[in-house]
Amino acid sequence: SLADNSGREAMHPADEFEAFHALIQQGRGVEDVAARFGVSPLVVQRRLKLAALSPELLALYREEGINLDQLMALCLSSDHAAQERAWFEAQPWDRAPAALRKRLTEGEVLAHQSALARFVGIEAYEAAGGVVRRDLFDSEHECWICDLDLLRRLAGEKLDGEAVPVRGE
């Protein structure tokens, strides 16, 4: 249906999200779906992420009450309640994608803006069990550090290790 309709009349983007999701549910792989529709696997992954949004927000999108950029920002969280809170508790003038991302990542730090995150390293943080929130829709693949206590502990441990040779002097 998606292949037939895309050649004739454009489907609503939400229909496309759901069609990609249905194909994956039928056992098709991301690569297979991408090849079938002439898109990259990243496009398929993004459509699947959008298909997993709150049904209430997808319905609002169909009614043109929210735009695609705002939906993509809300994909930072897979928690439907958090997505809905970020949207519905915001004032209409404060629903820009950046504001929605900020609301969803409150209490977290952007890894590239944190000296501690750069010092510790994302790999070491994740190896220690730290959770990282990545933005699939950002070309830079920004990520947020979710556990600041763990980050601080790892930084302290790394500093202690660096201090050992200095103490010997």
Side-chain angles (χ1 to χ4, degrees), residues 125 128-131 147-155:
Y125 170 78
V131 176
D147 188 345
L148 298 180
D149 291 334
L150 175 62
L151 180 65
R152 288 184 194 107
R153 183 176 59 80
L154 292 172

Side-chain angles (χ1 to χ4, degrees), residues 82-164:
Q83 294 166 352
E84 291 171 7
R85 268 193 314 278
W87 178 258
F88 292 111
E89 291 179 5
Q91 295 296 321
W93 49 264
D94 195 26
R95 290 180 175 158
L100 295 170
R101 281 186 189 91
K102 185 176 180 180
R103 212 169 274 111
L104 289 169
T105 59
E106 192 172 332
E108 301 171 9
V109 295
L110 262 171
H112 76 275
Q113 292 180 347
S114 167
L116 284 180
R118 288 191 307 271
F119 178 66
V120 170
I122 297 297
E123 296 81 17
Y125 170 78
E126 287 181 304
V131 176
V132 174
R133 184 189 309 258
R134 288 187 167 78
D135 188 354
L136 185 62
F137 294 95
D138 180 58
S139 61
E140 303 296 319
H141 299 292
E142 287 187 338
C143 63
W144 285 261
I145 301 289
C146 298
D147 188 345
L148 298 180
D149 291 334
L150 175 62
L151 180 65
R152 288 184 194 107
R153 183 176 59 80
L154 292 172
E157 290 170 2
K158 188 170 181 180
L159 280 172
D160 287 343
E162 300 284 331
V164 170

Side-chain angles (χ1 to χ4, degrees), residues 56-97:
E56 191 169 347
L57 292 169
L58 283 174
L60 191 61
Y61 178 55
R62 288 178 185 280
E63 298 165 4
E64 298 183 8
I66 186 172
N67 68 42
L68 184 58
D69 289 333
Q70 292 165 321
L71 281 183
M72 291 186 307
L74 291 168
C75 282
L76 266 176
S77 175
S78 57
D79 178 0
H80 290 179
Q83 294 166 352
E84 291 171 7
R85 268 193 314 278
W87 178 258
F88 292 111
E89 291 179 5
Q91 295 296 321
W93 49 264
D94 195 26
R95 290 180 175 158

Side-chain angles (χ1 to χ4, degrees), residues 24-39:
I24 295 296
Q25 292 299 310
Q26 292 171 5
R28 307 239 197 257
V30 169
E31 297 286 337
D32 181 40
V33 174
R36 180 180 294 243
F37 295 100
V39 297

